[in-house]
Amino acid sequence: MSTTVRAAAKINLHLGVGAPREDGFHPLDTVYQAISLYDDVTVSTASSTPSSTASSTPNSTVSSTVAEDSLSVSGSSYVDVAGVPTDATNIALRALDEARCGGAHLVEIAKQIPVAGGMAGGSADAAAALLAHDRLHDLRQPDDVLLAQAARLGSDVPFSLVGGTARGRGRGEVVEPIVDHGTWWWVVVPAAVGLSTPEVYRHFDRLHPDAPAQPAEPTELLAALARGEPVRLARALHNDLQEAAVDLRPELGDLIDRGEAGGALRGMVSGSGPTCVFLCDSQEGSAEVLAALSASYDVVLSAVGPVAGAHVVDMHQVGTGLR
Ligand code: ATP
């Protein structure tokens, strides 16, 4: 038996960051959006043959066996699969440990989401593994149980389950869907080398020793989303981590300038970076921005948001041919 779940990349339309709390976490007020770059996670019971339904074009695969579980990772050509651990530290295996109802599993991850790119690829894999495990064993746990498991795994994992456009508070794990009447066209430029999220937060602390306890609220952004107005949304996009990410990777400033000169309404760093995303006024506009940036950058992608949270795309009963 195997189940394949697809989970989307996230971007942060608003990322307000406050001063670190006593537990070391930064309080966040963020607006997430799920966009159409996906990881597919297939979870099989270890006695069955893994499925071969992964949809992205693999560039390479690494695999290992940990205790009883085993994991393999493949990815699109721009995805640094070597940066993804295949031991028990892989967050998809940690998700199975969190959810486990017994027995060993095989996990195959097919990645389109850049690794260490500020797009919550690991969180997407964790959410997908949780849901795949639930459906594989026909547990049908209530949403609040899955969301609680997700929150224990990481701040962005609950949003990866929920998808769409949502506000996140606390560490980002307290997720509430919000009204979004837009279809938003994005151009996405991943970097060849990722950035460590903790490193970006440490740099934010150095740059802002006087950060307020309460993070900035997304009031104007919520209005722009509710009205579906691209120019207004472009003005309201906000990322408190952008300065730190650009300070660590100065070339990102140049990339943002080029995208805006190429026709984007606004460019910004996605989350902790280094991926940059560009809001465009339409699908045609995004094609123009993509063409403009492709003259200087090897990997330029287009995506639309909001899209669904983690969802089953395939269930396969090995040996019977039944689906
Ligand atoms: P964040 O959610 O912290 O912003 P990110 O999107 O910047 O994360 P991820 O792709 O989630 O970055 O990877 C962060 C690190 O997590 C990687 O460098 C890798 O070592 C580790 N990791 C563990 N499991 C996975 C996974 N399934 N996919 C990608 N990275 C993973």
Side-chain angles (χ1 to χ4, degrees), residues 57 85 93 96-97 115 132 157 160 171 174 177 188-189 199-200 229 241 245 250 265 273 279 296 299 314:
T57 312
L93 291 185
L96 292 186
D97 274 345
V115 176
V157 185
S160 296
R171 291 180 284 115
V174 184
V188 178
V189 184
E199 188 186 344
V200 176
E229 294 174 352
L241 293 181
L265 295 175
L279 178 63
S296 313
V299 183
D314 193 40

Side-chain angles (χ1 to χ4, degrees), residues 83-85 89-91 109 111 114-123 125 156 197 272:
V84 179
T89 64
N90 189 294
I91 193 167
I109 305 178
K111 292 188 76 71
V115 176
M119 303 192 87
S123 300
D125 298 347
D156 294 338
T197 303
S272 55

Side-chain angles (χ1 to χ4, degrees), residues 10 12 39 41 71 73 79-94 107 109 111 113-126 154-157 160 194-198 201 241 270-275:
K10 66 83 185 160
N12 301 81
D39 283 2
V41 177
L71 177 97
V73 185
V79 172
D80 171 26
V81 289
V84 179
T86 56
D87 62 9
T89 64
N90 189 294
I91 193 167
L93 291 185
R94 288 177 39 224
V107 178
I109 305 178
K111 292 188 76 71
I113 307 175
V115 176
M119 303 192 87
S123 300
D125 298 347
S155 308
D156 294 338
V157 185
S160 296
L195 256 180
S196 147
T197 303
Y201 273 101
L241 293 181
S270 173
S272 55
T275 306

Side-chain angles (χ1 to χ4, degrees), residues 135-159:
R135 297 302 192 263
L136 181 70
H137 296 289
D138 204 23
L139 303 177
R140 303 269 161 185
Q141 299 172 95
D143 288 353
D144 58 341
V145 172
L146 287 172
L147 285 167
Q149 292 172 352
R152 285 194 287 276
L153 288 162
S155 308
D156 294 338
V157 185
F159 173 72

Side-chain angles (χ1 to χ4, degrees), residues 35-36 183-189 230 258-266 277-295 299-305:
I35 66 167
S36 58
T183 296
W184 310 102
W185 297 96
W186 298 96
V187 168
V188 178
V189 184
R258 284 177 191 238
E260 292 180 348
L265 295 175
R266 178 91 187 269
V277 294
F278 296 88
L279 178 63
C280 304
D281 59 3
S282 61
Q283 186 172 14
E284 296 72 35
S286 71
E288 283 168 23
V289 174
L290 187 137
L293 284 170
S294 296
V299 183
V300 185
L301 312 167
S302 58
V304 67

